[in-house]
């Protein structure tokens, strides 16, 4: 069986296994879910090992007729961009299950429903990155909303129902715009060689579009992806969702699902509408820079630790979007690497923050203090995660942020210079809460907080290890990402700017 199809089927089979386990046998349900995600992770690593980084074509391809009367196929495949994001997804899934071992307790429904939702969502995450049929991508893109909606609304806290509805409405609005653009592409393909949803064939359709048509279809895709990313000013659903969701759900939401937005910008916006991408690039660069600074300012003023992490992600996605639309190989490679690194740094922040909140009974930053003395392992985990979010040299995010800024500067120096102020602001929004949470006198009520237990150490250990390892040696990822990034730009007619010194010779 095809490697990608097997990866997608395993979580579904795991959800069926969980479904037949009696509801009162919670431990067995958790063990089945964890075992399933570990098997998927192993299959993802095996696919990564077999992947040929020198081959820029789609690999592990499988195409089967699905709705032949409309030219819709079950078509999957991966290139250097999607294999990296699938690897991130399958590695984070078992970590989320293990770290949030007790997150299903106190929810509206049973633990069985919670883990079925997690496993079904994992299938959708793999599928959305692997789909090479645009209609199949749309199905996965929309289907992801269902388990996330129930995970936030059923197992979250605070205003969880309102946050879940807001998330759903924003995402559905974007999805409808994208569907309109997909229908438009389908009609155009029918007039130029036959109806199809194949991304390879659709990437040739821009030759037959007027600039107005291409711009409108581009906006349908881009707005949907900008909501998912999230990019200012379409970001307002994120802080509420992150604050209300369980820590594990927040990791899946910000660490993985939001990457579908930036992934879609590369896979669909640039590939299907290269001319429109060039037309809208100046506007998008402005939005990206605003996101970087706006998210940073919101993070500095945040009083809730989960909202702070959400605001930092708005800033980080600004960097990713800026790298994508810089239209340089360094910017693209940096943006893709940033997606992977952000997934792990955000996972570390949300998981440790979740453990802190569960121990203290509060998510207010002011209620923490002096944790370094009381819970040193948890404190150091939070510190390393925070420094990675800050893009400290020696940790994974530094390499990707550096590549994004250098790649942007070669074409849009003003945008890169302004965005650099985001690094200065990052020092404030990370170091201030680190100082308040970890150092200083121990806040009353924190004296007897327990440190991380063995399960929690096992969960956070691999995340911290990845953050440190990729900070010193990012080559395993960049060796796969760089050829794919160069190929994307080459296929769409983008070239790196020629340095002025070379141009003068």
């Amino acid at each position: 069986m095809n490697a990608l199809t097997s990866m997608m089927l395993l979580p579904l089979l795991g959800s069926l296994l969980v479904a037949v386990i009696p509801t009162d046998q919670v431990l067995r349900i958790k063990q089945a879910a964890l075992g399933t995600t570990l098997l998927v992770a192993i299959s993802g690593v095996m696919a990564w090992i077999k992947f040929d980084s020198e081959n820029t074509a789609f690999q592990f391809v499988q195409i089967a007729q699905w709705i032949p009367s409309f030219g819709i196929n079950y078509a999957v495949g991966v290139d250097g961009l999607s294999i990296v994001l699938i690897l991130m997804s399958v590695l984070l899934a078992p970590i989320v299950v293990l770290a949030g071992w007790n997150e299903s307790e106190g929810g509206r429904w049973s633990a069985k429903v919670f883990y079925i939702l997690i496993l079904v969502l994992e299938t959708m995450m793999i599928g959305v990155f692997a789909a090479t049929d645009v209609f199949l991508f749309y199905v996965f893109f929309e289907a992801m909303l269902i388990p996330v909606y129930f995970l936030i609304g059923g197992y979250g806290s605070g205003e969880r129902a309102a946050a879940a509805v807001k998330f759903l409405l924003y995402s559905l609005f974007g999805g409808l715009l994208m569907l309109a653009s997909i229908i438009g592409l389908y009609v155009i393909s029918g007039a130029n060689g036959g109806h199809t949803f194949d991304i390879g064939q659709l990437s040739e359709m821009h030759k037959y579009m007027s600039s107005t048509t291409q711009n409108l279809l581009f906006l349908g895709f881009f707005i949907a992806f900008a909501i998912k990313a999230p990019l200012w000013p379409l970001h307002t659903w994120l802080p509420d969702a992150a604050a209300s969701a369980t820590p594990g759900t927040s990791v899946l939401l910000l660490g993985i699902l939001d990457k579908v937005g930036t992934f879609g910008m590369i896979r669909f916006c640039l590939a299907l509408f290269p001319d429109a991408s060039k037309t809208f690039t100046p506007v998008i660069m402005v939005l990206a820079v605003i996101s970087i600074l706006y998210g940073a300012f919101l993070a500095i003023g945040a009083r809730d630790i989960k909202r702070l992490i959400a605001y930092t992600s708005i800033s980080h996605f600004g960097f990713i979007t800026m790298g994508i639309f810089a239209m340089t190989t360094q910017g693209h490679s940096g943006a893709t690497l940033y997606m992977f690194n952000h997934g792990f740094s955000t996972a570390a922040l949300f998981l440790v923050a979740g453990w802190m909140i569960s121990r203290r009974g509060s998510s207010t930053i002011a209620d923490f203090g002096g944790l370094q003395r009381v819970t040193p392992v948890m404190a150091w985990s939070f510190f390393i995660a925070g420094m990675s979010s800050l893009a400290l040299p020696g940790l994974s995010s530094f390499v990707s942020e550096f590549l994004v800024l250098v790649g942007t500067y070669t074409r849009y120096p003003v945008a890169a210079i302004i965005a650099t102020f985001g690094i200065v602001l990052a020092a404030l929004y990370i170091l201030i809460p680190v100082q308040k949470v970890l150092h200083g006198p121990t806040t009353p009520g924190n004296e007897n907080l327990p440190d991380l237990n063995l399960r929690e150490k096992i969960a956070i250990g691999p995340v911290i290890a990845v953050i440190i390892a990729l900070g010193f040696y990012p080559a395993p990822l960049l060796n796969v990402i760089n050829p794919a990034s160069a190929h994307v730009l080459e296929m769409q007619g983008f070239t790196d700017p020629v340095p002025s010194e070379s141009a003068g010779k």
Side-chain angles (χ1 to χ4, degrees):
M1 184 181 291
N2 179 272
L4 296 176
T5 302
S6 299
M7 249 190 289
M8 282 186 275
L9 285 178
L10 277 174
L12 289 180
L13 294 175
S15 68
L16 294 176
L17 174 61
V18 169
V20 300
I21 299 175
T23 304
D24 58 346
Q25 296 186 18
V26 177
L27 180 59
R28 287 185 60 195
I29 289 172
K30 293 178 179 179
Q31 291 171 339
L34 178 61
T36 300
T37 54
L38 286 172
L39 283 176
V40 178
I42 292 171
S43 66
V45 172
M46 291 177 63
W48 168 266
I49 293 172
K50 294 178 182 178
F51 183 83
D52 180 7
S53 61
E54 299 299 322
N55 182 4
T56 56
F58 284 112
Q59 300 176 44
F60 309 122
V61 173
Q62 182 178 10
I63 301 175
Q65 287 189 344
W66 182 16
I67 311 176
S69 57
F70 290 97
I72 300 174
N73 296 319
Y74 170 82
V76 294
V78 291
D79 60 0
L81 168 62
S82 47
I83 190 68
V84 166
L85 297 178
I86 289 175
L87 180 68
M88 175 193 69
S89 304
V90 299
L91 290 179
L92 285 177
I95 291 169
V96 166
V97 173
L98 184 61
W101 200 245
N102 302 315
E103 285 187 1
S104 61
E105 298 176 4
R108 186 175 299 174
W109 304 293
S110 66
K112 177 186 290 190
V113 175
F114 179 83
Y115 288 105
I116 288 175
L117 292 172
I118 292 286
L119 292 172
V120 170
L121 179 59
E122 184 174 22
T123 289
M124 304 303 170
M125 293 187 303
I126 298 169
V128 79
F129 292 127
T132 57
D133 181 281
V134 178
F135 187 84
L136 180 66
F137 170 84
Y138 177 77
V139 170
F140 284 125
F141 183 88
E142 293 290 78
M144 288 191 305
L145 306 181
I146 300 172
V148 175
Y149 171 79
F150 287 112
L151 284 170
I152 296 174
Y155 297 91
S157 58
E159 300 294 329
R160 60 187 184 184
V165 170
K166 190 174 183 180
F167 159 78
L168 187 65
L169 291 177
Y170 267 76
S171 299
L172 285 176
F173 172 73
L176 289 174
L177 290 178
M178 182 166 66
L179 178 60
S181 291
I182 290 173
I183 294 173
L185 280 172
Y186 179 76
V187 172
I188 292 171
S189 69
N192 296 277
H195 293 298
T196 183
F197 287 100
D198 178 75
I199 189 172
Q201 297 180 48
L202 289 179
S203 64
E204 301 295 323
M205 292 300 107
H206 68 91
K207 302 174 183 177
Y208 308 104
M209 301 181 202
S210 67
S211 59
T212 301
T213 300
Q214 189 174 159
N215 290 345
L216 289 174
L217 296 182
F218 170 89
L219 287 175
F221 277 91
F222 178 78
I223 293 173
F225 296 141
I227 291 173
K228 183 73 75 177
L231 192 67
W232 183 91
L234 303 172
H235 68 284
T236 55
W237 63 269
L238 179 64
D240 293 336
S244 299
T246 64
T249 302
S250 295
V251 171
L252 297 176
L253 184 60
L254 278 81
I256 302 174
L257 298 187
D258 285 358
K259 305 301 187 305
V260 176
T262 45
F263 166 80
M265 292 177 190
I266 300 174
R267 174 70 82 238
F268 298 98
C269 290
L270 298 188
L272 301 180
F273 315 105
D275 296 331
S277 297
K278 295 176 183 177
T279 299
F280 286 101
T281 287
V283 175
I284 296 170
M285 295 296 285
V286 170
L287 296 180
V289 171
I290 292 175
S291 290
I292 292 170
L293 301 180
Y294 181 74
F297 278 118
L298 289 179
I300 291 172
R303 298 292 177 263
D304 182 280
I305 193 167
K306 293 170 76 174
R307 286 184 177 273
L308 182 147
I309 300 169
Y311 293 141
T312 65
S313 291
I314 295 171
S315 183
H316 293 152
F317 274 101
F319 278 108
I320 296 171
T321 304
M322 187 174 71
I324 292 171
F325 284 89
M327 307 300 185
T328 63
T329 52
Q330 283 181 318
H332 259 250
S333 295
T336 304
L337 183 62
Y338 211 138
M339 291 187 227
F340 187 95
N341 291 337
H342 178 266
F344 278 84
S345 62
T346 300
L349 283 171
F350 265 117
L351 294 180
V352 178
W355 295 327
M356 291 162 55
I357 293 168
S358 66
R359 284 161 167 77
R360 186 65 173 85
S362 171
S363 61
T364 304
I365 296 173
D367 289 339
F368 299 95
L371 291 187
Q372 188 176 12
R373 297 183 182 87
V374 183
T375 57
V377 177
M378 185 166 65
W380 274 103
S381 299
F382 184 78
F383 177 78
I384 294 173
M387 292 303 101
S388 177
S389 184
L390 172 61
L392 185 75
L395 298 178
S396 58
S397 296
F398 171 76
V399 180
S400 45
E401 197 165 284
F402 177 80
L403 287 173
V404 165
L405 289 171
V406 170
T408 302
Y409 184 82
T410 59
R411 178 160 276 149
Y412 300 101
V414 174
I417 291 170
I418 297 174
T420 304
F421 285 101
I423 301 175
V424 179
L425 296 175
L428 294 175
Y429 68 62
I430 290 297
L431 295 179
I432 290 175
V434 163
Q435 171 64 27
K436 291 180 178 179
V437 170
L438 305 185
H439 305 294
T442 303
T443 303
N446 292 345
E447 300 88 346
N448 299 314
L449 296 183
D451 205 349
L452 299 187
N453 58 38
L454 180 60
R455 171 183 57 80
E456 292 165 338
K457 291 176 182 176
I458 293 174
I460 198 63
V463 181
I464 299 297
V466 168
I467 289 173
I468 296 174
L470 290 180
F472 286 97
Y473 190 63
L477 288 180
L478 286 176
N479 288 341
V480 173
I481 293 170
N482 287 338
S485 297
H487 179 69
V488 168
L489 295 176
E490 178 185 352
M491 291 298 294
Q492 307 314 319
F494 300 112
T495 57
D496 287 334
V498 178
S500 57
E501 294 180 355
S502 299
K505 293 181 181 180

